Amino acid sequence: MGPVPPVEGIIPTQMVFRTTPTTDINSNDVIEIGATYPIWAAVGGVTCTITVDGQASTTLFSSTRAEDLSRFVATVANPYKTAAAGEEIIFTCTDNFAPHATVGTNVRFYFQSSNDRTLVFTTGWTTVLGRLDSPAVAITPAVAVEYTIPTRLVFSARTTNPLVAWNTLTITSDTANIWTGVGDIYCDVTVSGAANSVIFTTESTDLKTLVALVGVGQTIAANTPIVFTCSENITEHAVAGTSVNFAFQSTADPIPVAGIFGWVTIATQLTSCSVALTPTNYVELTPPTQIVFSATVTTRLLAYHSITIASDVPPIWAAATGMSCSVTIGGTPDSTIFRTAASDLKTFVATVQDSQTVDGGQTIVFTCTENLANLAVVGTSVSFTFVSTSDTIPLAGVTGWQTVATSMTNCEASLPNPPFIAGIVPENVTFKTTITTPLRFGTIRFASITSQIWSAVRPVTCQITIDGTINTTAFASTATSDRFTFVATLQTGYILPAATQLVFTCTDNLEPLPPAGTTEQFQFQSTSDTVIVPVTGWGSVLAQLKACSVGLTPMTYIAGTTPTQIVFSLTTTTAIPSANTVTIKASHPIWAAVAFINCAVTVNGVADTAVFGTGAASLLGTRSTDASTFVATVQYARLVPIDSAVVFTCNSNLDVHHPPGTNVTFSFESSTDETPAEGVLGWVTTATSMASPSVSISPITAVEYTTPVQVVFSATTNRALGAAATITITASTPIWAAPAFVTCSITLGGSADTTTFASTSATDTRTLVATVAAGQSIGTGVAIVWTCTNNLRALEPAGNPVTFTFESSQDEAPVTGVTGWTTALPQMTSCSVALAPITHYQYTVPTSITFGASTANKLPAGGQITITASHVVWNVTAATPVTCTVTVDGSANTATFGSLTSATDQYTFVATVQAFRFVGAGSAVTFTCTDNFLELGPAYRTVSFTFQSTADTTPLTGVVGWTSQFPPTTPGSVSGDPVTWYGDHRAEFKLPLGQLTTMLETPDVIVAAAPFEGAKKEQWIGRVVVMLPETGEVFTQVDIKRDLLDFERSSEPEELETMTTLVSPNSVRGTPPFDAQFTHPGGLIMQYGKHKCQKELCQEFAVIMSKSAKISIQSASAVEYYGEGADALVHAHLDLMVFDMIDSHRFGGLLPEMWGIKPMTNETAALLVIPEASADSELMLAESDTHRQDACTDENLSAVL
C-alpha cells in the first residue's frame, strides 16, 4: 500500500495485492480478496495493473472491481484464459480507495479463488496517527513589537512517523509574512538534541512557508524531536494586533497540525518618562532656564526614527526651530545620534541621525536650555505625551509642572515714633519687602485699602536700600498712581534676583493720619510676585502722652512706710502751651495733703525750673489737687514742644504706703491730649518680714544623734521693734531639749549686746522667742545674731532636713523655708594630708606623708580608718605594711594601731585598731608614714583623698593632698659670635647664612634665627622669627636695624629705634596704655619696650611668653668685640634668652642639643666651632632637628615700631 504508513483519514494512492494460486485459474474463474474494514470508496470498477509471474498482463482478467466496500473481485477473461498453478499474480490498484480507518485499526485480508476455496488470511496494515507531535514556535525577542525584525525564529516538532530521503517537513504561517523573499534559508538544526547540518536543506517556498527537505540517504526515525533555529531572511513584524499561527506537516505525517500559536504583534511605549524644569518654583509668566526630558527606549530606534514629546496645553517653546540640546544615552554624553528641534510651540522632536541606532533599554536624557517660552498663567497644569517611531503607544499624562503665582515675603509698612496721632503728618513712611521671584522690567506696588496716605498723585522722594545698601539707580521712578497707591518702577535692563531685600523710606507727599481707631491695611504686589500680600500697617490714635512711667524710692514698697521720692516720666505727642496742664492720677491716694509739691523738672534731659515753675509764687506750678492727683501747669509765655521728654522728681507731701497687696496704677494726660494714657504701672505694696534670715549649726557635720555645740540664728529687721516686741524662730523638727531659757550671746549691727532683749527662751521643743526688754527698741535694718549654746537636743536620724520660719511681732508676714541643716551619717572631720618635701616636684619620691583626721564616733578594737587616693601613691602589688608614727590627741601612740598600718593596693592606706584598744569619739589621730612610696606623677597632677572609718561610715571626699610641680629650670642664652650658654654648658657655633635655622622648638612655640657676617668673618644674629608649631604661622619677626650710624631721635618716644618688630595680623593689640602688648589666639603674648636709655641709643627688647617658656630678644651693640666706635654700631645685633622653661626634656632643636638636654645629632655637631673669645648675647630656641627655611619675608605681617 502507498503511501506508507497507513495514516488515519488519508486516501491511499495505491494498493498492491499479491497471491499465488495453488490450482490453475481458468476462464470465468474469480480471485476474491476481502478486507476486515471497508477499503473501497464505492462498488464498481477498480483500475489495476496486473503482472503474472512478473509479466504484465492486460488480457488475463476481464474485470477488477469492488463487489462491496470490503471485497475485491478479479474475473478471468473469456474466451479461454488461464493461469497455471504456482504463478504469482500481482494486482496494483490505483483508484476507488476509501480513506484509512481511525488510528489503530488492524486491517486483515483473506484470499480465495474459484478453485482454491480455502480462505487464506493475511495481515494488511494497522492505521497510524499521521500528524507531527509537539509542534511549537518561539521568537526572539519574545515580545513581538510591530515593525521590528526578530533576530531569530525557532520551530520545533517531534516526528510521529519516520522520515526518509526526499520527504519534507513544511511549516506555514496562516496570516503574516515571515520571510523577506523566496529561496534558501540557513537554519541551525538539532535532531534529538544534537546539532545536525546534513539531514535537511531549508528554504522558503513563499513568504509564509518554510520547507525542510530530507537529504539523499538520510532518514529520521519516528518520535524524533527536531528543532529549526532560523536567523536570516526574517521580515519585520506585522502591524500591532496581528496574531500569527502556524501549520506543521510532513510527508510521513501528512495531516496538518494547524493553529500552532506563534505570536501576537504589539505596539510598545517609552517607559520611565519624566520632565523636569529649572527653576522648580514654576512661577507664572517667568522664563525657565532649562527643561529636561528623560525616557527609556523599549524598542530599538533605527536611523530616522524619532522621539516626540508634546505638551498638552500651553506653548513651551518660543519658536518652531532647531535647538541644541545636550543628550546623554545610558548616562554617557552623546552629540552624534540625535538631531533635536521644536516642530511647533508645544512639540519637541529628537530624530535619530543616518546610520545611527539606539538599543532598547537605553535611557535617554535631553537637556534643553534655549528657545524656552515663558510659563503660562497661574494654575496651569502642564503634562506631556511621549511616543517614538518604534514605541508607538503614546505614554500620556507625564507630569510636568503646575504654574504658581508667588508673593513677596517679610512685608512691612511702618511709621516712625509711635504713637501715631490722628491728624498728624508723619515724618516718613517705610515699606519693606523681600522678592521671591526675580523681577525684570517690572513694578512693585504698595496700596492702602483703608485710607488715603498720599496728598497728591505725583512723584515721591524715597531713599531705597537693596540688601542693606543705598541704591539710586535700580528704579526709574517712585510715584503715586492714586492717593492710595505707591508704585516703584524698575529701570529697564535691571534685574532684582530672588531673595532681594528692599526698603523704601519715603519722606514727602504724605497725608495727615486718618481719624483715631483707623488701622491702615496694605496690599503688596509686584509684577513677578503677583499674589497680593495683605499687610497691617499702623493704627492712628487720639493724642495722648507716651512713654509714661512711675518710679518710687525706696523700691521696697512696704505697707505703712513713707516713700522718700516719686518720679514721673512722660513724652509729649502734642505741644503743651502756657496755662495748659499735665495731670497724673493715682488709683489710690499717694499725697499727704492738697498742697504745692517740691519737684525737680527736666525737659529732654536738661534741668528746667521755668517751664512749670516752682512753689506758690508760680502759676499754680506743681501741686496735688487731691490725695490722688498731681497737676503740673505750664507757666506764662512758656511752651513744652511736641515730642519732649519730661521728668518730674518730687520729694515732698508723700503719704504712707497702703496695706499689703495694694496695686497702685496711674493715668497720664495733658490738657492738649484727646485721651489719657491709662494703666501705667506704679507699684504693689508688700507685707514686711524679716530680711536675710539664716541658720547655722556647729559642728557643721550635723551627725545624727549627736548634740550640737551651738546654733546661730541671724536676721535683719524691716520694721522697728519696741519694748515687749518679739522675734519668733520656729524649727520644722524639735531642736530644743525642753521649754526653758536658752543661753544666747547677741550682736546688734555687729556689736555685742546684753541689754536689748529681756529673754531668749524655748517655748516648746521647736520654737525660740526673743523678747525686747522694757525701755529698749531696735531700729529698722538692724542685723541681729543669736549664738545659742545650751538646751540643745540631740539631732534627728540622718537624712532629715531642718528648716526654719522667722517672724517678728511687727511684721505682716513670716519668712518660711529658711535652710538650717540636714542630719548626716557620722563622718570623720578635720582631715588633712601633708607631703614632705613640700616642693612636690614631679617624678620625685616623697620622704613622708602625714594623714590627720578626727573621729566622730568611737572606733573600737578591730575598727579601721581607710584613706583612699585619687591617683597611685603606694609602691605595692599586694597588701604591704607601711611604717608610720601615730599620735592620738597630740600624743605619740604606739599601742592603739601598733604595726597594723598597711597599703592594701597602690591607692589605699588602712589603719586597724589593735585588740583591747579603741579610739574615742572626737579624737584627733595622725599617721606619719615614711616608706613604700611611688614617685610623684607629672606636673599639675593633683592628688586628693577620701577618709572613712568603720564607725564614721560617711566618706569625707575631696581632701586635697598635693599638686606635682615642675622643678626650676636653668635659663639658656645665645650671644655674640654666636655662642650659647646653659648653666656651665658653653658652645660656640656658626649658622648657615641667608636662611633661617630652627634653634628651639617647644610644644607651643618655634624660634628660628638667621645670622649676618661681620667684617672679620664672624657671625651675629640679625633676625629672630617666632612661629606657632601647629600651623607654621609667624607670630613675630624681629630684625636689628643696620643703619644705626645715621640714627636720629624720633619725636615719638615709644617708637623702636634699634630694631623692627613685625606681628601677625591675627594678633590683637592692647589698648593704651597697654598698646605695646600683642596677644595671639594660639596662646602667645608679646610685649616690647626699652631700657638702659643712655647717650643716644636705648637698648630695646621684645619678650614672648608661652606656656612652655619665655623668650627675650634684645638689641645689643658689638662694643665687646669692636670696642667703642662706629664698628660697634655697624655690627649691632640681637641677643636671645630663654627662661622659665617648663618640661624642658620635651624641647627639641639646635640649642637643647648644645645645652646637653638632648643627645647631639651629627647635623648639630657639624655646626660647632672651637671656642674662642666671643661676645655675649643670649638666645634660646628648640627642636631636635635643624630646620632650614628661606629667610622670612614680611608677607602677612604688620610692622610695629
Side-chain angles (χ1 to χ4, degrees):
M1 183 195 68
V4 178
V7 177
E8 67 168 347
I10 297 299
I11 298 174
T13 56
Q14 73 175 19
M15 288 187 190
V16 178
F17 303 106
R18 298 173 184 271
T19 184
T20 303
T22 57
T23 60
D24 291 343
I25 296 176
N26 299 310
S27 176
N28 295 319
D29 284 347
V30 296
I31 295 175
E32 182 177 323
I33 304 170
T36 59
Y37 186 85
I39 63 172
W40 304 107
V43 174
V46 177
T47 303
C48 300
T49 58
I50 303 168
T51 64
V52 179
D53 246 4
Q55 297 297 316
S57 173
T58 61
T59 62
L60 178 60
F61 291 90
S62 61
S63 67
T64 53
R65 59 183 280 114
E67 289 294 327
D68 57 39
L69 300 184
S70 301
R71 191 160 54 91
F72 172 82
V73 174
T75 303
V76 178
N78 183 23
Y80 181 78
K81 297 292 182 182
T82 183
E87 289 182 333
E88 182 184 49
I89 301 172
I90 300 174
F91 300 92
T92 302
C93 304
T94 59
D95 61 6
N96 198 24
F97 299 127
H100 281 301
T102 57
V103 63
T105 301
N106 185 8
V107 181
R108 302 185 72 236
F109 289 84
Y110 69 88
F111 287 74
Q112 69 176 2
S113 69
S114 301
N115 299 319
D116 294 319
R117 304 303 297 174
T118 302
L119 298 178
V120 178
F121 288 90
T122 185
T123 297
W125 60 81
T126 299
T127 55
V128 297
L129 183 67
R131 289 176 293 184
L132 291 167
D133 189 22
S134 305
V137 179
I139 190 171
T140 302
V143 177
V145 179
E146 64 175 353
Y147 308 127
T148 61
I149 298 174
T151 56
R152 65 180 180 177
L153 297 176
V154 180
F155 304 103
S156 62
R158 184 184 294 273
T159 60
T160 299
N161 296 303
L163 289 172
V164 297
W166 303 112
N167 283 178
T168 60
L169 192 156
T170 303
I171 303 166
T172 304
S173 160
D174 64 349
T175 48
N177 294 338
I178 60 173
W179 310 110
T180 57
V182 175
D184 292 340
I185 297 174
Y186 177 77
C187 299
D188 292 324
V189 181
T190 64
V191 178
S192 295
N196 191 309
S197 61
V198 298
I199 287 183
F200 288 99
T201 58
T202 51
E203 65 175 344
S204 59
T205 57
D206 57 41
L207 299 183
K208 295 182 179 179
T209 305
L210 174 72
V211 175
L213 176 68
V214 180
V216 176
Q218 303 294 327
T219 61
I220 300 174
N223 201 33
T224 298
I226 306 170
V227 179
F228 300 93
T229 302
C230 306
S231 54
E232 67 178 21
N233 202 29
I234 302 172
T235 193
E236 67 180 16
H237 282 301
V239 64
T242 302
S243 179
V244 183
N245 297 317
F246 289 82
F248 284 67
Q249 70 181 120
S250 73
T251 306
D253 294 314
I255 299 177
V257 184
I260 303 304
F261 177 75
W263 57 82
V264 175
T265 57
I266 63 171
T268 55
Q269 63 184 176
L270 297 165
T271 62
S272 302
C273 299
S274 66
V275 180
L277 194 71
T278 303
T280 58
N281 52 9
Y282 314 138
V283 177
E284 64 168 354
L285 309 179
T286 61
T289 56
Q290 76 173 21
I291 189 168
V292 178
F293 301 111
S294 176
T296 299
V297 173
T298 301
T299 304
R300 188 183 192 200
L301 286 170
L302 304 177
Y304 305 112
H305 282 188
S306 62
I307 294 174
T308 302
I309 304 169
S311 158
D312 61 348
V313 231
I316 60 170
W317 307 107
T321 182
M323 296 184 301
S324 176
C325 299
S326 63
V327 182
T328 66
I329 300 178
T332 302
D334 186 281
S335 60
T336 60
I337 290 182
F338 284 98
R339 179 177 69 255
T340 54
S343 61
D344 57 42
L345 300 186
K346 294 183 179 181
T347 307
F348 170 84
V349 178
T351 304
V352 180
Q353 305 260 45
D354 183 38
S355 303
Q356 301 291 336
T357 60
V358 179
D359 290 335
Q362 293 279 20
T363 296
I364 308 173
V365 179
F366 302 95
T367 302
C368 305
T369 57
E370 62 183 41
N371 194 33
L372 292 164
N374 286 355
L375 298 186
V377 295
V378 61
T380 303
S381 291
V382 184
S383 60
F384 290 82
T385 298
F386 284 63
V387 69
S388 80
T389 308
S390 58
D391 293 319
T392 57
I393 299 177
L395 180 63
V398 177
T399 301
W401 56 84
Q402 183 172 24
T403 55
V404 299
T406 56
S407 60
M408 295 187 289
T409 61
N410 304 320
C411 299
E412 297 178 21
S414 62
L415 298 178
N417 306 319
F420 309 121
I421 307 301
I424 300 298
V425 176
E427 178 183 336
N428 60 59
V429 63
T430 298
F431 301 107
K432 296 181 180 179
T433 190
T434 300
I435 288 173
T436 301
T437 303
L439 183 62
R440 302 174 176 86
F441 316 115
T443 60
I444 296 176
R445 173 179 170 274
F446 309 122
S448 168
I449 59 174
T450 49
S451 58
Q452 296 177 352
I453 64 170
W454 308 102
S455 62
V457 177
R458 66 176 179 81
V460 179
T461 303
C462 300
Q463 176 181 284
I464 303 171
T465 67
I466 299 179
D467 290 331
T469 302
I470 294 175
N471 186 294
T472 59
T473 60
F475 286 89
S477 66
T478 51
T480 57
S481 60
D482 55 46
R483 294 183 64 188
F484 294 85
T485 307
F486 170 87
V487 177
T489 303
L490 196 65
Q491 194 76 256
T492 300
Y494 206 100
I495 299 175
L496 293 178
T500 299
Q501 297 175 344
L502 299 173
V503 178
F504 298 85
T505 302
C506 304
T507 55
D508 64 0
N509 196 24
L510 291 164
E511 183 82 353
L513 296 183
T518 302
T519 298
E520 209 68 58
Q521 300 289 341
F522 288 86
Q523 292 180 339
F524 283 34
Q525 186 181 28
S526 79
T527 309
S528 58
D529 294 318
T530 58
V531 176
I532 293 173
V533 181
V535 178
T536 299
W538 52 85
S540 53
V541 297
L542 294 171
Q544 65 176 181
L545 297 171
K546 61 181 179 179
C548 301
S549 66
V550 179
L552 196 68
T553 304
M555 297 175 62
T556 51
Y557 318 135
I558 296 171
T561 63
T562 302
T564 59
Q565 171 179 284
I566 190 168
V567 178
F568 301 112
S569 300
L570 58 92
T571 300
T572 62
T573 56
T574 57
I576 307 175
S578 172
N580 282 270
T581 59
V582 172
T583 301
I584 303 171
K585 291 186 177 181
S587 59
H588 295 79
I590 63 169
W591 306 108
V594 175
F596 284 99
I597 300 172
N598 182 30
C599 300
V601 182
T602 67
V603 178
N604 293 324
V606 178
D608 192 316
T609 60
V611 70
F612 288 99
T614 56
S618 64
L619 178 60
L620 302 179
T622 51
R623 67 196 189 283
S624 58
T625 59
D626 57 39
S628 302
T629 306
F630 170 86
V631 177
T633 304
V634 179
Q635 300 298 291
Y636 178 74
R638 299 294 178 182
L639 173 73
V640 180
I642 188 172
D643 208 30
S644 294
V646 182
V647 177
F648 302 93
T649 303
C650 306
N651 55 20
S652 67
N653 198 30
L654 291 161
D655 201 0
V656 298
H657 280 302
H658 292 273
T662 302
N663 184 7
V664 183
T665 60
F666 292 81
S667 67
F668 285 63
E669 185 177 12
S670 80
S671 55
T672 57
D673 291 334
E674 297 167 309
T675 183
E678 297 181 319
V680 178
L681 180 63
W683 58 84
V684 178
T685 56
T686 61
T688 57
S689 56
M690 302 203 75
S692 306
S694 68
V695 181
S696 64
I697 191 173
S698 180
I700 62 172
T701 51
V703 175
E704 61 177 358
Y705 309 126
T706 62
T707 301
V709 175
Q710 67 180 24
V711 178
V712 179
F713 304 102
S714 64
T716 300
T717 60
N718 263 331
R719 283 186 181 270
L721 301 177
T726 60
I727 295 175
T728 302
I729 304 171
T730 305
S732 59
T733 61
I735 64 168
W736 307 108
F741 177 78
V742 178
T743 302
C744 300
S745 59
I746 301 172
T747 68
L748 296 179
S751 300
D753 182 274
T754 58
T755 60
T756 300
F757 288 93
S759 65
T760 49
S761 300
T763 59
D764 56 38
T765 57
R766 296 191 303 119
T767 307
L768 176 73
V769 177
T771 304
V772 179
Q776 300 292 324
S777 64
I778 303 173
T780 301
V782 176
I784 310 171
V785 178
W786 297 267
T787 302
C788 305
T789 55
N790 74 332
N791 196 27
L792 291 163
R793 177 191 180 104
L795 298 180
E796 299 292 311
N800 278 302
V802 183
T803 60
F804 291 83
T805 298
F806 283 66
E807 185 175 13
S808 83
S809 56
Q810 299 302 107
D811 292 331
E812 284 94 358
V815 182
T816 60
V818 179
T819 301
W821 59 83
T822 298
T823 53
L825 292 169
Q827 183 180 55
M828 302 193 81
T829 60
S830 304
C831 300
S832 63
V833 181
L835 186 74
I838 63 173
T839 52
H840 306 165
Y841 292 152
Q842 64 177 357
Y843 310 127
T844 60
V845 178
T847 56
S848 69
I849 301 177
T850 300
F851 302 105
S854 294
T855 59
N857 290 322
K858 177 181 177 181
L859 190 63
Q864 291 183 327
I865 296 174
T866 302
I867 305 170
T868 305
S870 59
H871 294 83
V872 294
V873 171
W874 306 101
N875 188 15
V876 300
T877 56
T880 304
V882 176
T883 303
C884 303
T885 58
V886 182
T887 69
V888 178
D889 290 330
S891 300
N893 185 310
T894 59
T896 300
F897 293 94
S899 61
L900 300 182
T901 51
S902 63
T904 59
D905 56 39
Q906 291 185 316
Y907 296 86
T908 309
F909 171 82
V910 177
T912 305
V913 178
Q914 302 247 59
F916 310 111
R917 301 288 178 180
F918 69 90
V919 178
S923 295
V925 183
T926 65
F927 303 91
T928 301
C929 305
T930 56
D931 58 9
N932 283 327
F933 301 129
L934 287 170
E935 65 181 18
L936 300 186
Y940 305 125
R941 173 183 286 175
T942 296
V943 183
S944 60
F945 291 84
T946 298
F947 284 69
Q948 186 177 17
S949 80
T950 51
D952 299 324
T953 55
T954 301
L956 179 66
T957 60
V959 179
V960 176
W962 59 84
T963 299
S964 302
Q965 303 292 330
F966 285 108
T969 59
T970 302
S973 65
V974 173
S975 62
D977 204 11
V979 62
T980 181
W981 292 89
Y982 182 79
D984 57 357
H985 287 267
R986 178 187 184 280
E988 187 175 343
F989 58 92
K990 286 189 179 294
L991 299 176
L993 293 170
Q995 65 184 44
L996 289 169
T997 299
T998 299
M999 306 295 288
L1000 179 73
E1001 184 170 357
T1002 79
D1004 59 353
V1005 69
I1006 296 174
V1007 182
F1012 65 89
E1013 193 170 61
K1016 300 179 180 180
K1017 302 300 182 182
E1018 79 280 8
Q1019 284 188 354
W1020 307 91
I1021 300 298
R1023 170 175 292 178
V1024 176
V1025 176
V1026 180
M1027 296 170 282
L1028 284 83
E1030 290 188 0
T1031 62
E1033 179 186 351
V1034 174
F1035 171 51
T1036 185
Q1037 173 181 310
V1038 181
D1039 288 89
I1040 192 70
K1041 288 186 176 181
R1042 302 298 305 278
D1043 56 355
L1044 294 181
L1045 281 177
D1046 302 323
F1047 168 75
E1048 292 184 6
R1049 176 70 66 191
S1050 169
S1051 60
E1052 296 292 336
E1054 297 82 6
E1055 183 178 315
L1056 293 177
E1057 298 171 337
T1058 62
M1059 60 186 192
T1060 60
T1061 305
L1062 304 177
V1063 181
S1064 166
N1066 293 326
S1067 300
V1068 177
R1069 188 171 190 169
T1071 56
F1074 305 106
D1075 51 340
Q1077 176 171 308
F1078 292 83
T1079 303
H1080 191 280
L1084 301 183
I1085 298 173
M1086 184 190 78
Q1087 294 177 340
Y1088 67 88
K1090 306 180 180 187
H1091 61 86
K1092 299 182 181 177
C1093 286
Q1094 300 173 1
K1095 299 182 180 178
E1096 292 187 348
L1097 286 170
C1098 298
Q1099 187 173 33
E1100 295 169 339
F1101 64 88
V1103 177
I1104 294 89
M1105 291 162 277
S1106 74
K1107 293 179 181 178
S1108 58
K1110 294 184 180 69
I1111 300 123
S1112 175
I1113 307 166
Q1114 300 185 41
S1115 60
S1117 71
V1119 64
E1120 74 283 0
Y1121 196 90
Y1122 284 98
E1124 297 286 350
D1127 283 344
L1129 286 181
V1130 169
H1131 292 84
H1133 56 277
L1134 299 176
D1135 290 346
L1136 184 65
M1137 176 174 286
V1138 183
F1139 54 97
D1140 289 351
M1141 291 181 280
I1142 296 175
D1143 215 6
S1144 57
H1145 66 282
R1146 298 173 60 191
F1147 289 8
L1150 194 71
L1151 293 176
E1153 296 180 26
M1154 293 182 179
W1155 296 338
I1157 295 175
K1158 285 292 186 72
M1160 187 175 293
T1161 63
N1162 292 335
E1163 290 83 359
T1164 300
L1167 300 176
L1168 297 177
V1169 297
I1170 299 173
E1172 296 178 2
S1174 62
D1176 69 10
S1177 74
E1178 303 182 8
L1179 172 66
M1180 292 217 147
L1181 309 140
E1183 185 178 54
S1184 179
D1185 299 323
T1186 300
H1187 296 289
R1188 300 175 186 264
Q1189 302 162 294
D1190 292 338
C1192 184
T1193 69
D1194 294 347
E1195 185 178 350
N1196 296 323
L1197 297 173
S1198 56
V1200 177
L1201 299 177

